[in-house]
Amino acid sequence: MTKTPPPVLELCNLEISLPKGADRPYALEGLDLIIEPGEIVCLVGESGSGKSLCAGAIMGLLPEPHVRVTGGAIRFLGEELRGKTDAEMRNLRGADISMIFQEPMTALNPQKTVGWQIDEVLRLHTKLGKADRKARAIEMLERVHITDPASAYNAYPHQISGGQRQRVMIAMSLVLSPKLIIADEPTTALDVTTQLQILKLIRELQEEEGAGVLFITHDFGVVAEIADKVAVLCRGELVESGTTDQVLNHPQHPYTRALIGAVPALTPPPLKIASDAPVVLKGTGLKKTFAARGGMFAGKRKAVTAVKDLSFELRQGETLGVVGESGSGKTTVSRIVTRLLECDQGSVELDGSDLLAATPKELRALRQHIQMVFQDPMASLNPRKRVVDLIAQGPIVHGTDPAQAREEAKKLLELVELSPAAANRFPHEFSGGQRQRIGIARALALEPKVIVADEPVSALDVSVQAQVLKLLADLRDRLNLSLLFVTHDLRVAAQLCDRVIVMQKGEIVETGLTAEVFANPQHPYTQNLLSSIPGRDWTPPSLHVDVA
Amino acid sequence: MTLADTEIAPPEPPRYVMFWRRYKRNRAAVLGLVLFAVVVLMALSAGLIEPGDPLRRAGDPLTPPFVNWATPLGTDQLGRDVLAGVFYGARISLLIGVVATLVAIVIGVVIGALAGYFGGWVDDVLMRITEAFQTIPNFVLLLTLVAIMGSKIEWITLAIGIVSWTAPARMVRAEFMSLRNREFVDAARNLGVSNTSIIFREILPNAMPPIVVYASVIMALSILMESALAFLALGDPNYASWGNMIGQGRAVLRSAPYCAVIPGIAIILTVLSFSLLGEGLNDALNPRQKK
């Protein structure tokens, strides 16, 4: 036993208690986990499964005394971490155990330069002189492949891009060659192409250093990309663990099977729309620039072009996907076609009448034909209104008798598979997926011809996401709706869309049938985007599970 | 372990129950509520317990407290009953507090809502007006208004409302600026809801909690301002207000301090009750807090 080195991290029967009145007594119960040197272990689970608290427990950063470790052992290189004093933990943190956070913008201090922040780590944990520290910091920035490390050293966090900031975070956490790196959803806030680069970088540096990595994520694609071993958490309990191949391709536990079954495959749906269906929504030559408003002394800033010269057609019963990375202008498109945002140029024809040229009165009448499902199911429902009033609001505004509108609202709840008892509740009493169903019911209440969905499932857990997508597809087929579907997630687009538009920097770079674009992308940007989908080589096994 | 997300959580208790639960967790706020109830009771029962005019002569001038039980808290230099003055003063103080706060909140909400919702030149014009009011010290403006309009109680109340609306206006504007970009506002616009409805039915209810909390502060400040006016002998002499009593008690401060101290204590406790009440409301209305 003495010959083999102890594992980097060993969790034995870890138990974290939650304060009274939480939805369960323990955030984590009986968690066993071992990370060997040079190994990446993915901790997977949906929101609320306790995966982030696990990281907090190892770092000794739990919000005590409400949430605290009540049982089990946390051994780092064979040494028990529980019971260590704050000062001892401070010495470990940063030097031997380091953490990469989800949101580099908030994890970095906006008031200090990148160099200063890396320097701080060295200053606290080493006895290096000033010049040595600077050399070390720049060398580290080089290792995380930041172009021009010397200028990045003097930059403030807001002056570099999101991907670069995450690189800086990684540089900071690796500068002292820690034995254990805890990465808490480090790529969730990033675009797919950047995400892939960061994943590769973590892998590369970890191999060089031989460190153990605890990688927390909710995304099975990322797991397939990076993990050596996988542990699946469900409501604080470890339900399955094993090598990546075992868990991803031969999941045993029903929960894991359901989760993996909910991951959308990258195979587009069979084509079913005749191309001679009438066009219901047509955009021509759309253009939108955002004038940046400078301060009194700041001088004029350059206007940002969000969308330039965009044209598209949406046919009856069809789903048109608008995909692209952040900043590609896809959300602007969804706001322009619903005229929530005034456009600079172009026209949007809804069933033959121009939405953008309509007078305010005409516009209000036209709005009932084009409805929207929003991204954030929490923010898009007025928290002070009952569900029935939220859904009935549209018809009432357009002249339906209020009592009748409320009756119909209750029927709509059934249509989106919610119990009619939900009608008199307030939005905060529902889960995210349920709220999104309410949002869909509200959009359907006006019996629109077109529904514009702006990232409707990106705020949801993967299993809930699958259910909501299925509902959307169902309703589209049953009610013969046309859907303009904006998303950044290519897997989701592949599931639902008949045709896709790929946008980059406000321009369409490629458009075509989903199946064709995915199978044979023409534009280099599309190719890059598709090859960056995490876990693209892994096809989720078709599991027969009853997701609904 | 079910993955279906269509099951609904058990219903929550009604809103007022939740509200009271959160409110009573703050002990100080409960004390504030009790004090407030006492002041309201005093105001309501002023005619019953201490019948007659508080300005009438009730006994020998400058009777100390607890000597004559016809005037338990003593009399002032004109022989007026201090207890009756405190009771009737509660009525005036509350009346002024409530009405002046309403005036201030209504003006503040309308201006702040318009400025925050529309932005652009509407915001510029309205905020410049607000700043013009803010640059003049409150009390100086109040003195000027009272000097112009006269010291009838209606005018005093209105004047206090007029000098107090700027802070709520700025607060409402800030709330509106952050709320107008929320998706539910876009959702309402997308349904074809008119601007007026969006402002008053969609956004305003969501902006209300901080306004309600701030209203308690304005209420306390209004009472203080009225007292200060009365202290400077600019109050309405036809009503027994606490400020009037302190102002008149000042003349005999050395020989009979109770004439000024007793109404002073009444003011302190009332203002304290409002500020504790405000704190409790803040706890209870803050939606981020759970159980």
Side-chain angles (χ1 to χ4, degrees):
Chain A
M1 281 303 285
T2 46
K3 278 178 196 162
T4 52
V8 175
L9 181 75
E10 195 180 0
L11 300 179
C12 279
N13 214 8
L14 184 67
E15 193 179 87
I16 299 176
S17 71
L18 287 175
K20 250 198 209 158
D23 62 332
R24 55 181 196 254
Y26 294 103
L28 278 177
E29 238 182 312
L31 176 68
D32 293 308
L33 195 73
I34 290 179
I35 302 177
E36 302 285 351
E39 204 174 54
I40 297 183
V41 176
C42 271
L43 196 57
V44 198
E46 297 193 288
S47 49
S49 61
K51 50 193 195 307
S52 287
L53 284 179
C54 175
I58 298 165
M59 298 288 282
L61 291 174
L62 287 180
E64 293 185 45
H66 307 292
V67 180
R68 61 202 163 83
V69 179
T70 45
I74 305 169
R75 280 192 279 273
F76 171 68
L77 294 172
E79 195 182 344
E80 174 63 51
L81 289 188
R82 282 188 68 199
K84 283 217 187 256
T85 62
D86 279 356
E88 286 171 321
M89 279 311 288
R90 261 202 302 277
N91 281 332
L92 274 179
R93 260 183 246 142
D96 292 323
I97 308 177
S98 68
M99 190 147 176
I100 304 172
F101 293 92
Q102 173 171 354
E103 184 48 76
M105 191 67 220
T106 49
L108 292 172
N109 183 346
Q111 289 285 324
K112 301 284 184 194
T113 62
V114 163
W116 188 92
Q117 303 191 47
I118 299 179
D119 190 66
E120 186 187 28
V121 180
L122 292 166
R123 209 171 56 231
L124 290 175
H125 291 282
T126 65
K127 291 193 172 66
L128 293 175
K130 203 175 171 194
D132 288 340
R133 290 204 304 265
K134 183 167 182 185
R136 185 78 175 272
I138 288 184
E139 179 207 324
M140 202 59 221
L141 287 172
E142 228 163 80
R143 279 183 65 197
V144 294
H145 308 302
I146 282 186
T147 41
D148 196 4
S151 84
Y153 185 87
N154 292 317
Y156 285 92
H158 67 266
Q159 293 170 325
I160 54 180
S161 72
Q164 301 277 35
R165 278 197 289 272
Q166 197 57 289
R167 283 171 198 274
V168 169
M169 272 303 294
I170 293 172
M172 245 168 98
S173 56
L174 289 182
V175 71
L176 292 171
S177 307
K179 308 284 184 308
L180 175 64
I181 301 160
I182 299 173
D184 189 359
E185 305 254 10
T187 58
T188 307
L190 304 174
D191 282 325
V192 274
T193 45
T194 327
Q195 166 169 314
L196 186 74
Q197 291 163 9
I198 296 288
L199 289 177
K200 276 185 179 158
L201 178 71
I202 292 179
R203 179 99 258 185
E204 175 191 323
L205 292 175
Q206 173 262 348
E207 272 167 13
E208 283 174 26
E209 303 271 344
V213 178
L214 178 64
F215 195 101
I216 295 172
T217 181
H218 67 280
D219 187 340
F220 273 100
V222 172
V223 175
E225 198 69 40
I226 197 168
D228 295 314
K229 283 201 294 193
V230 186
V232 184
L233 276 183
C234 169
R235 297 181 54 81
E237 280 174 60
L238 184 68
V239 293
E240 188 158 358
S241 66
T243 64
T244 308
D245 176 56
Q246 270 171 5
V247 175
L248 288 190
N249 296 326
H250 312 285
Q252 299 302 319
H253 194 276
Y255 178 75
T256 323
R257 292 169 70 93
L259 269 187
I260 290 179
V263 177
L266 269 173
T267 38
L271 195 66
K272 57 183 181 338
I273 304 301
S275 53
D276 55 352
V279 173
V280 284
L281 187 71
K282 185 177 174 194
T284 335
L286 295 173
K287 191 175 171 214
K288 173 78 193 170
T289 43
F290 288 106
R293 200 175 138 180
M296 194 185 285
F297 302 108
K300 274 212 167 141
R301 280 163 58 197
K302 238 168 84 184
V304 181
T305 308
V307 172
K308 49 185 162 191
D309 195 25
L310 178 102
S311 302
F312 67 91
E313 279 183 357
L314 178 65
R315 293 178 186 276
Q316 175 96 49
E318 180 190 49
T319 304
L320 177 65
V322 180
V323 298
E325 296 189 292
S326 55
S328 63
K330 56 188 193 311
T331 296
T332 311
V333 171
S334 75
R335 306 274 149 154
I336 287 175
V337 300
T338 48
R339 208 173 154 186
L340 288 174
L341 207 63
E342 293 296 331
C343 191
D344 299 341
Q345 245 176 32
S347 69
V348 173
E349 269 175 47
L350 178 66
D351 245 2
S353 38
D354 190 349
L355 197 67
L356 299 190
T359 63
K361 204 176 158 201
E362 290 165 353
L363 179 67
R364 283 180 66 179
L366 276 173
R367 283 206 188 276
Q368 58 181 304
H369 301 304
I370 179 160
Q371 280 299 305
M372 197 157 172
V373 178
F374 293 86
Q375 171 171 10
D376 185 343
M378 186 74 227
S380 62
L381 302 174
N382 188 338
R384 306 235 151 212
K385 285 198 163 172
R386 288 176 197 279
V387 167
V388 62
D389 296 323
L390 282 167
I391 299 176
Q393 188 180 21
I396 292 174
V397 166
H398 288 279
T400 313
D401 172 55
Q404 193 195 340
R406 291 204 176 85
E407 273 317 302
E408 275 161 25
K410 285 179 188 156
K411 282 184 203 144
L412 278 167
L413 280 176
E414 272 171 63
L415 193 67
V416 296
E417 297 161 11
L418 280 176
S419 137
N424 289 317
R425 303 281 193 84
F426 287 95
H428 70 265
E429 296 179 58
F430 297 90
S431 69
Q434 291 170 343
R435 282 191 214 125
Q436 204 52 294
R437 285 170 195 269
I438 297 167
I440 294 172
R442 170 173 64 186
L444 291 175
L446 282 170
E447 294 171 8
K449 297 194 175 82
V450 179
I451 287 189
V452 179
D454 182 10
E455 305 259 15
V457 295
S458 57
L460 305 177
D461 273 330
V462 61
S463 60
V464 177
Q465 185 177 344
Q467 294 169 45
V468 172
L469 281 178
K470 196 167 143 255
L471 175 74
L472 264 180
D474 251 23
L475 292 171
R476 174 196 61 188
D477 298 343
R478 263 161 64 195
L479 308 174
N480 199 19
L481 292 169
S482 317
L483 223 58
L484 186 70
F485 193 91
V486 175
T487 183
H488 72 283
D489 189 332
L490 293 161
R491 286 180 182 272
V492 169
Q495 282 280 296
L496 200 67
C497 302
D498 304 304
R499 284 192 305 129
V500 287
I501 291 175
V502 182
M503 287 188 70
Q504 183 194 21
K505 292 180 187 154
E507 276 179 303
I508 296 180
V509 294
E510 187 158 359
T511 169
L513 297 171
T514 312
E516 283 170 18
V517 171
F518 274 54
N520 189 15
Q522 298 300 316
H523 194 274
Y525 177 72
T526 320
Q527 290 165 358
N528 186 10
L529 214 54
L530 282 167
S531 65
S532 301
I533 301 175
R536 67 215 155 279
D537 302 326
W538 167 65
T539 314
S542 54
L543 301 160
H544 294 284
V545 279
D546 183 18
V547 180
Chain B
M1 183 194 349
T2 169
L3 282 169
D5 74 327
T6 48
E7 287 161 25
I8 308 169
E12 277 186 357
R15 287 208 149 181
Y16 55 89
V17 178
M18 295 291 287
F19 178 85
W20 173 239
R21 264 189 213 161
R22 286 191 211 144
Y23 186 86
K24 73 176 180 192
R25 264 186 320 177
N26 186 338
R27 291 263 178 86
V30 177
L31 175 70
L33 192 64
V34 171
L35 283 176
F36 177 64
V38 169
V39 177
V40 170
L41 272 179
M42 274 163 62
L44 289 177
S45 62
L48 299 173
I49 293 177
E50 282 292 328
D53 190 350
L55 299 179
R56 82 185 194 284
R57 198 185 139 100
D60 293 336
L62 294 178
T63 313
F66 314 120
V67 171
N68 181 352
W69 290 109
T71 53
L73 290 182
T75 57
D76 66 4
Q77 65 265 47
L78 294 178
R80 292 176 296 197
D81 186 355
V82 173
L83 182 67
V86 168
F87 269 62
Y88 280 91
R91 203 178 260 187
I92 297 302
S93 291
L94 277 189
L95 191 75
I96 290 176
V98 169
V99 176
T101 306
L102 278 181
V103 171
I105 294 287
V106 167
I107 302 177
V109 161
V110 170
I111 290 192
L114 293 178
Y117 183 74
F118 289 106
W121 66 267
V122 179
D123 183 32
D124 282 341
V125 170
L126 291 176
M127 280 303 110
R128 291 306 86 77
I129 295 173
T130 312
E131 278 159 15
F133 270 84
Q134 282 186 313
T135 49
I136 311 169
N138 271 358
F139 200 70
V140 174
L141 183 58
L142 180 62
L143 285 177
T144 318
L145 286 175
V146 171
I148 295 170
M149 300 194 293
S151 46
K152 274 188 76 180
I153 193 128
E154 294 88 355
W155 295 127
I156 291 178
T157 314
L158 185 67
I160 293 176
I162 289 177
V163 301
S164 316
W165 64 269
T166 49
R170 294 213 83 112
M171 199 168 69
V172 172
R173 170 174 173 265
E175 286 288 318
F176 266 66
M177 285 174 94
S178 83
L179 285 168
R180 74 164 173 203
N181 293 324
R182 293 275 286 279
E183 278 187 338
F184 73 82
V185 177
D186 276 348
R189 281 173 64 200
N190 199 41
L191 290 171
V193 180
S194 65
N195 278 335
T196 331
S197 272
I198 290 182
I199 293 177
F200 291 106
R201 299 241 187 106
E202 299 284 330
I203 306 183
L204 189 58
N206 286 291
M208 258 347 248
I211 302 174
V212 170
V213 173
Y214 198 70
S216 67
V217 178
I218 299 180
M219 199 107 101
L221 286 176
S222 313
I223 292 176
L224 282 177
M225 273 195 242
E226 192 275 335
S227 308
L229 272 184
F231 183 77
L232 295 178
L234 285 168
D236 194 332
N238 298 319
Y239 295 90
S241 90
W242 292 338
N244 275 341
M245 292 169 76
I246 297 181
Q248 283 155 13
R250 189 177 48 161
V252 288
L253 196 60
R254 294 234 219 150
S255 54
Y258 63 91
C259 286
V261 168
I262 292 172
I265 291 175
I267 292 178
I268 290 175
L269 290 181
T270 310
V271 170
L272 179 72
S273 84
F274 282 126
S275 94
L276 293 179
L277 208 61
E279 207 173 292
L281 285 176
N282 193 20
D283 286 354
L285 295 173
N286 187 349
R288 259 170 288 179
Q289 258 181 349
K290 293 253 161 107
K291 270 175 255 182

